[in-house]
Amino acid sequence: MVFTFYTADLVAGLRTPGLSGRHEPDAALDRLLAGSGVVWSRSRPGVIVLRRAGSQQAAMADATQIDDIIVTGSLLRGPGESPSPVTVISRADLDARGAGSIADVLTTLPQSYAGSATPGTLLTLNDTQGSNSSLSTGVNLRGLGEDSTLVLVNGRRIAGTGSRGEFADLSAIPGAALERVDVLLDGASALYGSDAVGGVVNVILRRSFDGQESRVRVATAQGGAEDLTASHLMGTSWSSGSALIGYEYQDAGALNSGDRAYTATGDLRPWGGLDYRGIYGAPGNIARFDAGLGAYVSAFAIRPGADGVARTPADFAAGQANLSNRRNGVDLLPNQDRQTAYARFRQELGSRIELSGDLRWSDRSYEYASLSGGGLYTVTAANPHFVSPNGSTSHLIAYDFGRELGPTERSGRSRSLATTLGADMDLGGSWSLDVYGSWAEEMNYGAQENQINTTFLNEALGSIADNPATPFSASRDGYLNLFGSGSANNAAVLDFISQGFDRDWARNRVETVNAVVDGILMELPGGSMKLAAGANYRRETLRNRSAAFRSGVTPSESALTFRTREIQAAFFEVRAPLVGGDFTLPGVHRLELSVAARTEDYSDFGSTTNPKVGLIWEPFEGLTTRASWGTSFRAPALTELYERVQIGAANLASPTGSQLTLIHLGGNTELQPEEAESLTVGFEVRRPNGLRFGANYFDILFDDRIGRPASSNLTTVLSNPSLTPFLTFVNPGSNPADLALVQSYLASPFYLQPGQYPAANFRVILDGRWANTGELRTRGVDFNAGYGFDLGRHRVDVDAGGSYVLEYSRKLTPVAPREQLVDLVGYPADLRLQAAARWSFEDWGGRIGLNYVDDYRTLTNVKVASWTTVDAQIRWSPSDRFGLNGVDIALSAQNLFDEDPPFYNNPQGFGFDPANATILGRVVSLQLTKRW
């Protein structure tokens, strides 16, 4: 097998006359490249490199050694194939799609489910994982969770992100130096260890570069989301080494809910949905607790007079409600500012040792407008603004401060730093030793300002006496008035009550030492039998700290938590070509067997061993079949083991309306790793005329899932019988034991809403702590096809691919019934397709792409329509014209026809599903690239 390496820009627009008959390989290459301005060299056996003729690179061709070939899905270096399917996305592919980053491409792959771990799902309140505190972007292959997809950079682990540190942030990876991305669509814990259940994303950065390259990209959508990205890469090579450095800057603007009609009001009735406005507003409502519904409803709507204040009993409407949208003015995409940098060097020390190292840095800040402050507040006759329509001496007011204080303000910063230093040593013969050490760290800070401090609010209401520890005096500075329409309070009052905040800090670190020896064990009839074996040591550390000021007169800070674990691993892989080369059999042109296994010992829960077996069989040249079987696992995240306790309250939907529920969250030190078994079988056909097509069947059984089944399914938890083991139903109003139990939760220092709800009104206690629960099974078929042909001097290449999910089912607990979830909102759709046609002619090129998501259904069995969008690009790469040599200009449009996402009656009040669609609409971008 021979590998040929070249860059996309090197061969852009070039054609060969073709070749027929039998020729020696060297002579064939010479004839194919004659007159093209491209020359070839053999850097080592089985590896051919194409370079521009007459360039400095060409002059150095015979002296330059390229880095070892990285084959994702194998520990063995050099030419070879993985028995697992691998999708390769090159830098040229990324540019041709008009995408701003690799994250934009990976989250829209047919095999990916973007229902969590993206800024869009977090800001639309649809991210059920709840750990993406730093607005990171993860990838979720097969819908198994972003923490079940392993993300590597150059084959190395990177630090986790967010409050739990359980997934990798794609936006922290330097885009300026990107070479390609390999997506391994199979379990791979036998090779890479924990997290490689749904698959592996290996981001390959450039390891050598000669010259300079500058890029500028500007993009915009209707209403906002302006995006500016600029980068520069430069590098050089010498006879014994190379070095490069790259930098990228991005400024991405926010997009507000008011910029789209279906996200602006919370009232989705014009589109066939429901009205999701609530009783919290300005003017507000006098609320009462409906025991039958288990929820607060409006008893009287406050209807202020002409001066904007309710002053008499006549200013109230019994049995009516003022409905308001607390989501008014929130951002659905944040404003982000990002910088990344990457540097790498390679240096030979004599003829047997090569040193290499790299450094990656990222700094990203963000801000966005979130839900406005509000809640249920008790106002008594001690407040001079108090008025009652029924003679009561106090009322519970449902009020929202959005008109007076605006949305709460969220902001944060995420910084990452990673470095690797390694040595590659020739041990003699075919054997070599690769040793490296890596260190990676990510630090996150997040804050939510402009929140209501309930202690200060009660003081301003006059419900408690003036506190000499505060500079505020209600009798002097004014009493808070909740009987107005949003303009009844002065600045002193509002500034005093809105001093609340939440702030949190997290630092995730991964330190690794790895050693692998590989070489040829023996010669078999089909080729060389190779072995790779090694050991790995890894140390993971997570630090968390938080501060809150939502009640009390001084901020409360949580103790700094420091959690660490150590992992030791031993592993091997053997690849045995049983048939191949000059040795063939009838019906067996090639037969290759691979076996791998990895044992990992964790300091906090024990050991796990995972094998993998793969087979590649070519019955005849042009048809390749593959099969692999193996087990994988995901170790519990440190926060899943040790997460601090939190207790909160919420009204949850139930068959009788809603129930006021206590929600208990926290870690579990008894957790065991999740385990999975994967089977993949597929084929690929490649015809001499350029036609290719293939398909892969996958079957993954994921057991002992770590999750919070109750707290992750709050919209259905009270109506789902399988979740009953996580619920305790109480009636504190009539049962003293239940009352004492509820009061113990309300008195806990971990309770987040002191004084907001009376103990007697609770009906359910929900256990939402982490636990090993049931299982999940997904199986389906990935497929792809492609064909390229010439039309005179024009070249056309057509590609199509997709994924069809046959089953996505779960058992929430071992005793729960199996639920089929495919095609259900919140889970993967059964069919996703992508297709594209690329055209090139001399200096011009273009692309038309099609993206399709099949229809699916809601929890109430209402259809969400399918969604089809079209992307387009026109590209001009003038060669030696107008002094623009090395220039590439691309004008792109994603969602060219500005198709709105299909309507979804989203309980959050936004009329679309952010997991399967985007609110951006048409995005137009212009990218300029200059190679120096």
Side-chain angles (χ1 to χ4, degrees):
M1 180 175 295
V2 176
F3 281 73
T4 304
F5 286 84
Y6 55 88
T7 60
D9 57 293
L10 174 69
V11 298
L14 296 181
R15 298 290 176 267
T16 73
L19 195 64
S20 61
R22 299 180 63 86
H23 303 271
E24 290 296 321
D26 292 7
L29 280 169
D30 289 338
R31 291 184 60 179
L32 287 170
L33 297 175
S36 67
V38 175
V39 297
W40 67 274
S41 64
R42 183 177 288 106
S43 72
R44 60 183 64 181
V47 180
I48 289 172
V49 181
L50 303 185
R51 293 185 171 90
R52 184 81 60 190
S55 68
Q56 180 185 6
Q57 289 179 334
M60 296 170 55
D62 293 332
T64 301
Q65 289 282 319
I66 69 166
D67 290 311
D68 285 302
I69 302 165
I70 296 178
V71 180
T72 301
S74 176
L75 302 173
L76 297 162
R77 293 183 293 179
E81 292 181 71
S82 168
S84 300
V86 178
T87 296
V88 179
I89 304 169
S90 68
R91 176 83 234 192
D93 295 330
L94 178 67
D95 290 340
R97 295 176 189 228
S101 69
I102 189 59
D104 295 339
V105 175
L106 290 175
T107 54
T108 57
L109 283 176
Q111 296 82 9
S112 179
Y113 174 68
S116 58
T118 68
T121 53
L122 182 71
L123 269 59
T124 53
L125 310 178
N126 282 271
D127 190 336
T128 60
Q129 299 299 316
S131 67
N132 193 10
S133 58
S134 57
L135 267 68
S136 302
T137 302
V139 59
N140 180 0
L141 295 176
R142 307 296 189 200
L144 298 177
E146 62 278 0
D147 52 4
S148 297
T149 298
L150 178 62
V151 176
L152 308 171
V153 175
N154 294 336
R156 318 305 197 212
R157 283 180 178 265
I158 60 178
T161 188
S163 60
R164 294 204 298 270
E166 83 276 36
F167 71 97
D169 182 12
L170 294 171
S171 66
I173 298 174
L178 179 70
E179 178 179 300
R180 74 177 197 272
V181 180
D182 294 346
V183 183
L184 177 69
L185 297 168
D186 196 7
S189 287
L191 302 170
Y192 300 110
S194 178
D195 307 339
V197 178
V200 178
V201 173
N202 191 8
V203 181
I204 311 298
L205 302 178
R206 288 180 173 176
R207 295 180 293 166
S208 62
F209 183 77
D210 281 272
Q212 301 186 58
E213 180 182 89
S214 302
R215 291 172 176 265
V216 177
R217 178 183 182 270
V218 292
T220 188
Q222 180 183 352
E226 301 86 359
D227 190 311
L228 168 65
T229 305
S231 67
H232 188 72
L233 177 69
M234 57 184 178
T236 186
S237 299
W238 53 93
S239 60
S240 60
S242 62
L244 65 85
I245 186 169
Y247 171 81
E248 182 174 79
Y249 171 79
Q250 181 183 26
D251 184 6
L255 190 68
N256 194 267
S257 62
D259 293 324
R260 300 291 184 267
Y262 50 87
T263 62
T265 69
D267 184 359
L268 301 182
R269 288 176 298 179
W271 295 271
L274 300 177
D275 187 352
Y276 290 104
R277 294 175 297 169
I279 63 173
Y280 303 89
N285 300 277
I286 293 179
R288 66 176 179 84
F289 184 76
D290 188 315
L293 295 176
Y296 286 95
V297 298
S298 176
F300 294 88
I302 301 173
R303 300 290 166 83
D307 63 350
V309 177
R311 300 183 183 277
T312 70
D315 293 330
F316 296 83
Q320 298 186 38
N322 296 317
L323 297 179
S324 180
N325 178 31
R326 291 189 63 196
R327 304 166 183 82
N328 182 46
V330 304
D331 288 329
L332 301 185
L333 290 174
N335 181 78
Q336 298 201 69
D337 185 281
R338 180 178 64 92
Q339 301 179 76
T340 62
Y342 175 70
R344 187 181 191 274
F345 81 94
R346 178 185 65 85
Q347 178 62 56
E348 296 177 4
L349 301 179
S351 61
R352 289 182 174 269
I353 299 177
E354 179 182 284
L355 292 180
S356 62
D358 61 55
L359 179 69
R360 302 188 309 276
W361 169 82
S362 172
D363 190 337
R364 177 173 56 87
S365 59
Y366 60 86
E367 59 183 10
Y368 63 95
S370 188
L371 296 179
S372 54
L376 289 167
Y377 307 111
T378 300
V379 185
T380 70
N383 186 300
H385 304 294
F386 177 81
V387 60
S388 174
N390 59 8
S392 298
T393 58
S394 68
H395 283 301
L396 196 62
I397 307 296
Y399 194 83
D400 177 70
F401 289 94
R403 290 189 177 181
E404 293 160 299
L405 296 174
T408 58
E409 302 162 0
R410 286 184 178 259
S411 61
R413 189 176 186 183
S414 177
R415 291 178 292 171
S416 64
L417 183 66
T419 185
T420 300
L421 181 64
D424 191 358
M425 290 171 273
D426 184 352
L427 301 179
S430 64
W431 292 89
S432 63
L433 173 65
D434 180 36
V435 180
Y436 73 83
S438 67
W439 180 94
E441 180 179 86
E442 178 156 330
M443 294 176 288
N444 300 315
Y445 165 74
Q448 183 174 8
E449 308 289 347
N450 197 34
Q451 293 198 80
I452 299 300
N453 181 300
T454 56
T455 301
F456 291 174
L457 178 139
N458 286 325
E459 183 179 348
L461 283 173
S463 301
I464 59 177
D466 280 349
N467 190 333
T470 70
F472 182 85
S473 170
S475 59
R476 182 188 69 239
D477 299 313
Y479 284 85
L480 179 64
N481 187 354
L482 299 186
F483 292 88
S485 58
S487 59
N489 295 294
N490 63 46
V493 174
L494 295 174
D495 290 345
F496 177 61
I497 67 172
S498 62
Q499 297 179 64
F501 62 77
D502 282 307
R503 297 168 186 164
D504 57 82
W505 296 261
R507 189 186 75 179
N508 300 283
R509 181 180 291 175
V510 177
E511 300 161 281
T512 305
V513 177
N514 193 85
V516 181
V517 61
D518 73 298
I520 298 174
L521 279 177
M522 65 177 69
E523 293 297 330
L524 298 177
S528 301
M529 180 178 180
K530 294 184 176 182
L531 166 71
N536 177 280
Y537 169 82
R538 190 168 79 252
R539 185 172 186 261
E540 299 176 351
T541 304
L542 173 65
R543 289 187 175 184
N544 287 100
R545 181 166 61 91
S546 63
F549 192 34
R550 290 189 290 177
S551 63
V553 296
T554 58
S556 62
E557 293 196 15
S558 66
L560 176 66
T561 58
F562 179 85
R563 303 296 180 185
T564 186
R565 64 157 52 122
E566 295 183 352
I567 304 103
Q568 301 176 61
F571 50 86
F572 78 89
E573 180 186 7
V574 174
R575 184 168 65 209
L578 306 176
V579 179
D582 295 331
F583 176 68
T584 61
L585 298 173
V588 186
H589 181 76
R590 176 183 170 215
L591 184 64
E592 184 174 292
L593 175 68
S594 62
V595 178
R598 185 182 183 104
T599 294
E600 295 203 348
D601 181 69
Y602 281 73
S603 60
D604 49 7
F605 66 78
S607 301
T608 177
T609 299
N610 294 271
K612 184 170 185 177
V613 179
L615 186 69
I616 300 176
W617 169 41
E618 288 187 22
F620 50 85
E621 190 171 4
L623 171 62
T624 303
T625 63
R626 295 181 174 89
S628 68
W629 172 91
T631 64
S632 300
F633 76 102
R634 185 185 80 83
L638 288 170
T639 47
E640 292 169 348
L641 293 165
Y642 307 112
E643 189 172 58
R644 66 187 179 94
V645 173
Q646 296 184 76
I647 303 170
N651 281 292
L652 302 183
S654 75
T656 58
S658 64
Q659 300 285 336
L660 186 60
T661 304
L662 272 169
I663 302 173
H664 184 194
L665 304 175
N668 181 355
T669 57
E670 301 299 319
L671 290 175
Q672 293 298 306
E674 300 174 329
E675 299 177 346
E677 182 177 340
S678 304
L679 173 67
T680 303
V681 179
F683 73 92
E684 183 179 39
V685 174
R686 289 184 176 270
R687 305 298 300 157
N689 62 0
L691 175 66
R692 57 176 177 79
F693 59 90
N696 294 283
Y697 169 82
F698 63 89
D699 190 338
I700 303 173
L701 180 63
F702 204 0
D703 203 3
D704 286 333
R705 295 294 309 277
I706 297 172
R708 301 179 293 186
S711 57
S712 296
N713 295 275
L714 293 179
T715 59
T716 60
V717 63
L718 299 188
S719 57
N720 189 338
S722 65
L723 296 175
T724 301
F726 300 97
L727 306 176
T728 300
F729 294 93
V730 294
N731 191 352
S734 60
N735 188 320
D738 288 349
L739 179 61
L741 178 62
V742 171
Q743 288 175 333
S744 69
Y745 279 97
L746 301 186
S748 168
F750 303 111
Y751 183 56
L752 302 176
Q753 298 152 279
Q756 189 165 353
Y757 299 102
N761 291 347
F762 285 93
R763 291 294 179 269
V764 183
I765 299 173
L766 182 151
D767 188 350
R769 293 173 294 178
W770 294 101
N772 287 105
T773 58
E775 67 177 35
L776 186 150
R777 186 186 185 193
T778 182
R779 58 188 184 89
V781 178
D782 298 330
F783 48 89
N784 63 84
Y787 182 60
F789 54 93
D790 293 315
L791 291 174
R793 296 166 60 194
H794 298 259
R795 175 70 181 181
V796 178
D797 291 280
V798 181
D799 295 279
S803 184
Y804 185 77
V805 182
L806 298 167
E807 178 181 355
Y808 187 96
S809 64
R810 73 175 179 189
K811 295 175 66 176
L812 279 175
T813 65
V815 298
R818 182 172 295 278
E819 304 172 272
Q820 178 60 261
L821 301 174
V822 66
D823 255 1
L824 183 67
V825 68
Y827 303 95
D830 64 348
L831 179 63
R832 296 174 65 97
L833 298 171
Q834 289 184 341
R838 296 177 65 171
W839 157 81
S840 61
F841 171 70
E842 295 183 347
D843 296 340
W844 292 90
R847 180 183 182 271
I848 294 290
L850 182 143
N851 313 284
Y852 175 81
V853 180
D854 202 15
D855 60 70
Y856 50 101
R857 68 188 191 281
T858 69
L859 296 172
T860 56
N861 207 32
V862 176
K863 178 181 175 181
V864 179
S866 61
W867 195 42
T868 303
T869 61
V870 175
D871 303 332
Q873 182 184 85
I874 186 71
R875 179 180 295 272
W876 183 44
S877 304
S879 55
D880 296 321
R881 296 186 186 183
F882 315 110
L884 297 177
N885 188 39
V887 171
D888 182 271
I889 303 172
L891 177 65
S892 306
Q894 294 171 301
N895 193 356
L896 177 64
F897 301 112
D898 200 21
E899 292 289 334
D900 284 340
F903 174 73
Y904 162 50
N905 186 30
N906 192 330
Q908 302 300 338
F910 306 121
F912 78 109
D913 178 10
N916 289 301
T918 171
I919 61 168
L920 282 172
R922 183 191 297 115
V923 177
V924 178
S925 65
L926 178 66
Q927 178 170 289
L928 170 65
T929 304
K930 168 62 176 175
R931 299 176 182 90
W932 309 84

